[in-house]
Amino acid sequence: MTPSPPRTTARTYGVYRPVLPVTSPRHPHRMVYTGDADGRCEIFAWDRSSGVERQLTDRPHGTLLCAIDDDEAVWWFDEDPGGSGGWRTRHFDGGPDRPALAGVPYGRPAGLALAAGGTVAVGIRSPEGLSVHLGRRGGTGTAVLHTTEPGTLCDLAPGGGLLAVSGPAHSARAVTLLAPDGTTVAVLSGTRDRTWALGFAPLPGPAPGPTPSRAPEPAPARTPLLVMRERAGRYHLGTWAPGRGLELLPWCSFDTETTARWYPGPGGARVLLRQDRHGRSRLFTADLDRRELTPVPTPEGSILDASPAADGDVHFIWTDAVHVPRALSLSGAPLPGQSQWRLPRFGHRQDLWTPGPDGPVHTLVTTPADRPAPHPLVFLVHGGPADHDRDAYDPMVQTLVGSGYAVARVNYRGSTGYGPRWRSAYSEGVGHTQVADLVRARAELLDRGIGREGAVGLCGTSWGGYLTLLAMGTRPDLWNAGVAVKPLADCVTAFRHSTPALQALDTALFGGTPDQVPEAYAHASPTSYATAIRSPLLIVAARRDAKCPPEQVEAYLAVLRAGGVAHELMWLDSGHDGYDGADHVAVIRRSLRFLGRGLPSAPAPAEPFPHPERG
């Protein structure tokens, strides 16, 4: 069983960030991973025993998603610039590539799960909705689910006898369990307590070796599904199995967002957990048989991903504010895909906690070490909103600080990493709550003499771009320049042109659709305040963006033009998540030049990543 690797959402800004390798289930020394190929993400194969590394894909716009099955067929998603495509395979040792599963429609990836013996489940999202297909690699898939409701394939039980499909965590169908013929076996509701699935347990079995020709069908109780449920302000780990239902583990709960993965192979029911807490991360191992929770020693900082290996090792991506993300293992064994770029490291970091109505607001502040305060100040506003800034190396931060700016990254209300109450705190309305936290952090940074009055800018991507536009329109007196990259700009138009998953998120966030609660959408929409903007504004948008569609950016631009509001515009021929570093670097360069003109007394902008050298 190999659940599909998650799509990264962290900023890359043109610099490759390592992604955890995916290990062969039968030969742990063989791995595939997403690596850097001249500024693009591509798929590589690496044999640790021989040290041989080979690039498997070479596509103009890059390749991100990959997996490897029991027969050592390497899977990758072959997508077009708009994010739609299909899965293809090639053997680890080489040979031709071919379509992975016939009969699956062209669309966006919505989950991949690989079971023993070549059985595979593929989730695909098309204009007709979500479909899940079951079959054997190289054969023809059979559709087991068609739905217009938002969802993602979570996993396939090791023997192929049960599928888990995730819906919105707050919905009545948060998790749906399906038989191979499409029959619904069970449904876990999240309407009372948010609930999400994390994957089926592996079968206890022999040590790695040759793959059996056909995997035996497991007894249902031997392959429980790992589940996380939010209850009473905490995140509780639990398991679901046929005949037993969902059982929470009272000894294994956390006060902030936590995810988990089963340890593969034999050795009992063990789980690796990663907790995000206050901008940093911690790892734990849970022994479900002994009911023991044990901390895993790691350096202080952020763990962007972590995965237990078949040999009992733990692989993880670690970083902090001054160290580039690195793929590490607890055993010290080497891992592939290490960044070869020598990147700049500037600045002094500190944490700031500003009092607020729902608790203190946490801001990560980085200031130039070689220049006296006060500094021109840039707020880098994170996206999401269910995400957070962390103690992690960020090339955009380093580029700004190296150019003489102080940088503030605010984990406003709605951010993850601070518990359910903080994530759901919208007491001042959607968007306006978050802007209020930015305003509070701005006031304290100026009072402390870190930032300079009259030289304060905003820069954000996606939801961060939305907050940039909203803040500049609702508090135009506080901001002297703004950069909104691939923003949500018009809430109603975005809903009309968005995906079912994002429409479900908006419906939950606003308490209904635009037809049901039009005043809520109008109150939160940057379009409602666009004509009040008085400071320089740069908008960067993408023609193939499915998450923040170009139609809603055009609607916002029309309001700016009608109101005579000066602005600059940059269009990208890409989707929301670009894998080509050249686009990211182009956005940084344009943003730096723009901020240099827009913020009074700003320093001359530095070139992003000056004189990189291969190490």
Side-chain angles (χ1 to χ4, degrees), residues 88-121:
R88 299 187 70 83
T89 64
R90 172 183 290 163
H91 195 270
F92 185 94
D93 291 321
D97 66 88
R98 52 178 55 89
L101 195 65
V104 178
Y106 195 81
R108 297 177 181 276
L112 171 70
L114 310 175
T119 303
V120 58

Side-chain angles (χ1 to χ4, degrees), residues 167-189:
H170 62 273
S171 70
R173 301 184 71 91
V175 182
T176 301
L177 286 305
L178 299 173
D181 62 1
T183 303
T184 298
V185 174
V187 175
L188 306 183
S189 174

Side-chain angles (χ1 to χ4, degrees), residues 100-105 120-122 132-144:
L101 195 65
V104 178
V120 58
V122 171
V132 176
H133 303 259
L134 188 66
R136 294 176 65 83
R137 183 190 64 250
T140 300
T142 300
V144 297

Side-chain angles (χ1 to χ4, degrees), residues 468-482 529-537 556 559-560 563-567 594 598:
T468 295
L469 297 179
L470 189 64
M472 292 193 68
T474 58
R475 299 301 304 270
D477 54 317
L478 299 184
W479 317 106
N480 306 104
Y529 314 95
T531 57
I533 293 176
R534 296 292 177 264
S535 297
L537 172 64
Y556 183 82
V559 174
L560 289 181
V565 178
H567 60 279
F594 178 83

Side-chain angles (χ1 to χ4, degrees), residues 500-566:
L502 290 175
Q503 288 176 340
L505 187 151
D506 284 347
T507 301
L509 194 61
F510 289 103
T513 68
D515 293 332
Q516 294 168 332
V517 287
E519 66 287 347
Y521 283 79
H523 181 63
S525 182
T527 305
S528 301
Y529 314 95
T531 57
I533 293 176
R534 296 292 177 264
S535 297
L537 172 64
L538 168 64
I539 298 174
V540 180
R543 290 291 185 189
R544 303 173 186 267
D545 196 332
K547 296 180 181 178
C548 296
E551 292 86 353
Q552 53 95 33
V553 175
E554 294 283 13
Y556 183 82
L557 292 171
V559 174
L560 289 181
R561 288 191 291 266
V565 178

Side-chain angles (χ1 to χ4, degrees), residues 168-445:
H170 62 273
S171 70
R173 301 184 71 91
V175 182
T176 301
L177 286 305
L178 299 173
D181 62 1
T183 303
T184 298
V185 174
V187 175
L188 306 183
S189 174
T191 54
R192 179 177 176 181
D193 300 312
R194 294 175 70 248
T195 302
W196 53 100
L198 298 170
F200 287 103
L203 279 177
T211 304
S213 60
R214 188 172 186 83
E217 177 61 34
R222 295 176 63 202
T223 55
L225 178 71
L226 200 63
V227 174
M228 193 70 73
R229 171 161 280 183
E230 178 190 314
R231 175 174 289 178
R234 296 183 68 84
Y235 297 90
H236 297 261
L237 190 68
T239 61
W240 175 92
R244 295 207 318 258
L246 178 59
E247 299 176 341
L248 299 182
L249 309 177
W251 54 272
C252 193
S253 69
F254 301 85
D255 62 344
T256 60
E257 284 78 1
T258 303
T259 190
R261 289 180 175 177
W262 294 100
Y263 274 81
R270 291 201 304 151
V271 173
L272 179 70
L273 299 110
R274 174 170 58 92
Q275 181 188 25
D276 288 325
R277 193 173 194 275
H278 300 176
R280 292 172 177 85
S281 309
R282 301 188 292 187
L283 291 182
F284 300 86
T285 294
D287 188 316
L288 275 56
D289 294 330
R290 297 181 178 180
R291 295 174 167 260
E292 292 178 351
L293 186 65
T294 305
V296 176
T298 56
E300 182 178 290
S302 292
I303 297 170
L304 306 181
D305 196 5
S307 178
D311 59 3
D313 202 357
V314 173
H315 302 163
F316 58 99
I317 303 293
W318 175 86
T319 180
D320 66 11
V322 296
H323 292 94
V324 176
R326 293 182 291 162
L328 303 175
S329 65
L330 288 182
S331 68
L335 295 177
Q338 303 299 337
S339 174
Q340 299 299 313
W341 292 101
R342 293 175 181 167
L343 300 177
R345 303 177 186 179
F346 302 113
H348 171 72
R349 57 176 176 163
Q350 60 180 301
D351 289 23
L352 186 68
W353 296 84
T354 303
D358 292 296
V361 181
H362 185 196
T363 303
L364 302 166
V365 183
T366 310
T367 54
D370 58 348
R371 307 191 189 193
H375 311 280
L377 173 64
V378 175
F379 281 80
L380 269 187
V381 190
H382 74 72
D387 199 353
H388 64 277
D389 273 313
R390 61 196 79 211
D391 181 14
Y393 187 93
D394 188 328
M396 187 61 168
V397 172
Q398 295 296 324
T399 301
L400 287 166
V401 173
S403 299
Y405 298 93
V407 176
R409 295 177 293 158
V410 181
N411 283 328
Y412 47 73
R413 282 171 288 174
S415 301
T416 55
Y418 300 83
R421 182 173 174 270
W422 187 259
R423 196 200 61 250
S424 60
Y426 283 82
S427 57
E428 295 164 67
V430 175
H432 297 275
T433 301
Q434 291 71 41
V435 169
D437 288 344
L438 295 175
V439 170
R440 291 184 181 93
R442 176 193 181 277
E444 181 158 358
L445 286 163

